Amino acid sequence: MTNLNRDISTATLFIAGLWGFISGQFIIATVLFAGVTVLSNIAPKAVLTKA
């Protein structure tokens, strides 16, 4: 996944999670925020460099 795709995915999930939190859907918002965390922190560390 390229940096642009990851940034777009992260922003989309974050906005959806924020909207879910504001509208009172706390469980869905929690799952979306967890997805944002995985995409922004864990996924970049799993990328292997080419030798």
Side-chain angles (χ1 to χ4, degrees):
M1 182 180 285
T2 64
N3 287 334
L4 179 62
N5 289 341
R6 187 172 40 233
D7 289 343
I8 291 171
S9 300
T10 302
T12 303
L13 284 175
F14 181 75
I15 291 170
L18 192 60
W19 177 78
F21 185 78
I22 290 172
S23 65
Q25 300 172 355
F26 299 114
I27 296 173
I28 295 172
T30 303
V31 171
L32 291 173
F33 286 138
V36 169
T37 303
V38 168
L39 279 177
S40 65
N41 293 328
I42 298 171
K45 293 179 184 176
V47 175
L48 298 175
T49 59
K50 294 181 181 179

